[in-house]
Amino acid sequence: MIFISVEFAFTLAVYFFYAFYPKVFFVLGDSIKSDSEITKWLPVIPLGLSAYCCVDLTWKIIAPLSSSNKELYDWPDFWRLKMRCYFSLILSVICATVSIGLWIFSKVLSHDQIGALFILTLGLSLINTGCMIFASIALRTIMEKDDKS
């Protein structure tokens, strides 16, 4: 049984790493802040992953195939799948918002804050998108297998 999500565990890891080893985030934030081109384009990575997760992957999970959706909708635990998709959408919006905030407030934030927030948004976006990709592949495999039998 899973008690915490991978996303929450990653957030805790970044928080504790930031609390005990802020120098690592300072070095990362310093290198991000020192190059104006990086500051312009680096936040685009979490934004792109969030957009891909919101637009494409959610629909592949909630409505994977047109011919067999009734079986999916009749599944007793379908509500859990929908809740996970909604959680992923909310997490994507949060990551995108923080990424935009990094873009806008990069001059005001300290080096270690920039490093920590970038690692957090990038890591959460990667984990979230990866989970959604794996879920869509697994669901598609299950639904296609049921169609053939």
Side-chain angles (χ1 to χ4, degrees):
M1 175 156 258
I2 298 173
F3 293 107
I4 63 170
S5 68
V6 178
E7 294 90 347
F8 185 66
F10 180 77
T11 303
L12 283 178
V14 169
Y15 175 76
F16 286 119
F17 206 76
Y18 180 72
F20 294 110
Y21 304 105
K23 182 76 172 160
V24 174
F25 296 108
F26 183 84
V27 170
L28 177 64
D30 188 42
S31 64
I32 290 172
K33 206 170 182 178
S34 66
D35 189 355
S36 63
E37 286 298 310
I38 289 176
T39 307
K40 277 188 212 172
W41 300 110
L42 213 52
V44 173
I45 298 170
L47 282 172
L49 289 171
S50 297
Y52 176 63
C53 189
C54 287
V55 174
D56 192 36
L57 293 175
T58 301
W59 300 120
K60 283 184 179 179
I61 293 173
I62 292 179
L65 300 170
S66 59
S67 63
S68 60
N69 284 348
K70 181 160 176 30
E71 292 174 11
L72 179 65
Y73 299 143
D74 290 340
W75 181 41
D77 288 332
F78 180 66
W79 67 273
R80 290 182 189 199
L81 185 66
K82 280 178 52 176
M83 287 299 118
R84 175 58 196 186
C85 286
Y86 294 150
F87 170 74
S88 292
L89 287 172
I90 290 168
L91 189 59
S92 293
V93 169
I94 290 170
C95 286
T97 304
V98 171
S99 184
I100 290 170
L102 277 174
W103 212 345
I104 294 171
F105 300 112
S106 64
K107 304 274 190 256
V108 179
L109 295 172
S110 66
H111 297 276
D112 55 337
Q113 290 172 334
I114 289 174
L117 287 174
F118 175 70
I119 289 295
L120 191 63
T121 57
L122 181 64
L124 286 176
S125 296
L126 285 170
I127 291 169
N128 193 27
T129 304
C131 287
M132 295 289 279
I133 287 171
F134 291 142
S136 66
I137 290 170
L139 190 62
R140 181 105 182 173
T141 304
I142 291 168
M143 298 300 281
E144 285 178 352
K145 186 170 66 172
D146 285 345
D147 279 348
K148 291 178 183 176
S149 52

